[in-house]
Amino acid sequence: MADEFVVPEEERAGQAVRPDGYFDLIRRLSHQSVVKHFDAYADIDWDSPEFRIDHDDSRWELETDDVLGATEWYRSQPAGIRSRIGLRMLANFMKIGVVFEYVLKRGLLDFASRLPSGSPEFRYCYHETIEEAQHSLMFQEFINRTGFRLPGLSGIERRYADFVVKYARKFPELFFVFVLAGEDPIDYVQRESLRKKREDIHPLFRRIMQIHVTEEARHMSFARHALRNRVPELSRTRKARLGLCVPLILGFMGKMMMEASPRIAREYNIPREVVDAAYSKNLIHRRRIHDASTKLFGLCEELGLVNPWSVRLWRMMRILPQTGALTVATTH
Ligand SMILES: [Fe+2]
Ligand SMILES: [Fe+2]
């Protein structure tokens, strides 16, 4: 039987049995990975004429509902520059995806290697790793076809990656927070894009997003439930550390996933004040960041990771959802 379950070691050893619901869910996620998964090359017809990437295609242009796209500076650029900036930003987000998934895969494999024999989490971690590898193939193929030459990992990024992987071993709960902090904002952005009119989105980009959003739903479910399962068992000190780290990680990752990089600003001579007007001084952008942070904030509340100290950090990173501010104001 494909889903045969071997009793986890702690059950056999007579230790506290983890809630059955958790393992059942992990088994269902694994099953879903078997019945609904995608292959970067078999499921995307890369050479189809409608998937061709043309730098001058107006569908790459940022629209007025995009914070940079709404600036007067962007709208005053020639059409070819507008479409190139839009495409360059997508290529950059995909590159960030490749780097993020590289860290994620290493962390998941490390986490899985320490699980007791028979743990359903082991199988799911491998399914997720395989799916992330397909995503990275898909993202990198898209980047290759844009013709933009994007650099690989810098020395600092490589050190940061090693640091996160180390935490998958030393402090798995912190690693799962890192997972959600990367996956939540990108999922929010992709779901928003998929709501646009069909003819406004390039079909290749639409296909990539559909595949990604479908599989990421499982990954986020795993990370959330892994946290629900593990955090209550943490010591008070570890819980406090985790509560303080969440807003720092999410603030950093959200910015990377939702804003034009300084490199793109340099390449296209986007003036500093335009970047500020689009992002740091833009209320619409702040609201989008808050919306993208809401789910993780809700989970932190549920897990008892929100307190007046951590709320200060949520506020300092400018990611405190408005509902969060209200809750804290009325309860503390
Ligand atoms: Fe992914
Ligand atoms: Fe994922």
Side-chain angles (χ1 to χ4, degrees):
M1 201 173 101
D3 269 337
E4 193 178 0
F5 169 55
V6 184
V7 179
E9 241 169 33
E10 66 270 37
E11 286 185 50
R12 287 201 297 268
Q15 295 163 7
V17 178
R18 293 197 239 183
D20 284 346
Y22 174 64
F23 283 146
D24 283 346
L25 178 114
I26 302 300
R27 275 184 232 115
R28 282 201 301 277
L29 290 176
S30 289
H31 179 67
Q32 280 304 311
S33 288
V34 176
V35 296
K36 196 166 189 176
H37 65 265
F38 299 91
D39 181 289
Y41 289 95
D43 293 310
I44 301 179
D45 186 5
W46 291 97
D47 293 325
S48 154
E50 62 161 1
F51 283 180
R52 204 175 72 80
I53 295 175
D54 173 0
H55 284 203
D56 287 308
D57 190 330
S58 62
R59 287 172 298 184
W60 301 124
E61 283 188 28
L62 304 174
E63 293 176 48
T64 43
D65 62 355
D66 179 276
V67 283
L68 181 61
T71 60
E72 246 181 79
W73 178 87
Y74 181 82
R75 305 253 58 99
S76 67
Q77 298 303 302
I81 299 290
R82 292 201 301 270
S83 57
R84 277 169 182 75
I85 292 177
L87 181 59
R88 178 67 179 81
M89 282 176 68
L90 289 183
N92 195 58
F93 289 134
M94 297 219 191
K95 187 78 214 179
I96 293 169
V98 174
V99 173
F100 172 69
E101 289 174 347
Y102 154 75
V103 181
L104 192 56
K105 283 181 294 236
R106 286 181 56 195
L108 279 173
L109 291 176
D110 203 288
F111 174 75
S113 72
R114 280 151 217 282
L115 291 170
S117 182
S119 167
E121 289 168 315
F122 179 93
R123 174 178 160 187
Y124 186 72
C125 285
Y126 270 74
H127 280 306
E128 185 167 325
T129 305
I130 293 163
E131 287 163 11
E132 294 297 12
Q134 293 290 349
H135 298 170
S136 295
L137 281 174
M138 177 170 87
F139 292 158
Q140 189 59 51
E141 185 62 37
F142 179 90
I143 296 165
N144 296 348
R145 286 173 183 251
T146 64
F148 293 123
R149 293 277 159 260
L150 307 188
L153 253 71
S154 67
I156 294 179
E157 285 166 341
R158 208 168 283 281
R159 276 203 293 281
Y160 178 62
D162 291 342
F163 179 76
V164 175
V165 174
K166 197 171 78 189
Y167 272 88
R169 182 160 61 238
K170 284 174 47 179
F171 197 169
E173 296 74 17
L174 196 56
F175 172 71
F176 283 114
V177 160
F178 163 82
V179 173
L180 283 176
E183 290 184 339
D184 257 358
I186 204 72
D187 188 68
Y188 174 84
V189 172
Q190 292 184 336
R191 279 176 194 275
E192 266 204 333
S193 306
L194 283 172
R195 275 189 212 111
K196 286 182 191 163
K197 276 193 270 160
R198 196 176 184 87
E199 60 272 23
D200 290 343
I201 311 178
H202 191 286
L204 174 58
F205 184 55
R206 170 180 275 273
R207 181 74 183 127
I208 290 175
M209 282 193 299
Q210 281 168 336
I211 291 177
H212 201 243
V213 161
T214 304
E215 297 198 323
E216 287 304 318
R218 292 197 288 267
H219 303 177
M220 289 185 289
S221 175
F222 173 52
R224 274 197 195 94
H225 284 89
L227 284 168
R228 282 196 181 105
N229 188 49
R230 304 179 74 98
V231 170
E233 309 293 321
L234 289 178
S235 68
R236 277 176 64 163
T237 329
R238 283 213 142 194
K239 231 171 149 174
R241 263 177 78 194
L242 189 62
L244 295 178
C245 288
V246 180
L248 298 176
I249 298 172
L250 182 64
F252 176 67
M253 304 282 283
K255 192 173 160 57
M256 218 164 58
M257 305 278 183
M258 295 177 77
E259 298 184 6
S261 73
R263 190 187 168 97
I264 295 180
R266 276 197 307 277
E267 281 173 13
Y268 289 92
N269 296 318
I270 309 177
R272 178 78 240 167
E273 54 279 15
V274 172
V275 175
D276 288 346
Y279 302 112
S280 59
K281 294 183 180 160
N282 189 327
L283 284 178
I284 297 171
H285 182 60
R286 296 256 64 82
R287 201 176 319 125
R288 289 184 74 222
I289 292 223
H290 290 163
D291 288 350
S293 314
T294 306
K295 271 198 203 163
L296 193 47
F297 186 83
L299 181 66
C300 287
E301 275 192 313
E302 181 192 322
L303 297 174
L305 299 175
V306 176
N307 57 48
W309 293 102
S310 69
V311 161
R312 278 183 203 173
L313 293 178
W314 282 86
R315 197 170 282 129
M316 187 188 93
M317 298 304 285
R318 306 181 75 188
I319 50 170
L320 180 66
Q322 253 132 44
T323 47
L326 278 177
T327 317
V328 174
T330 49
T331 55
H332 296 284

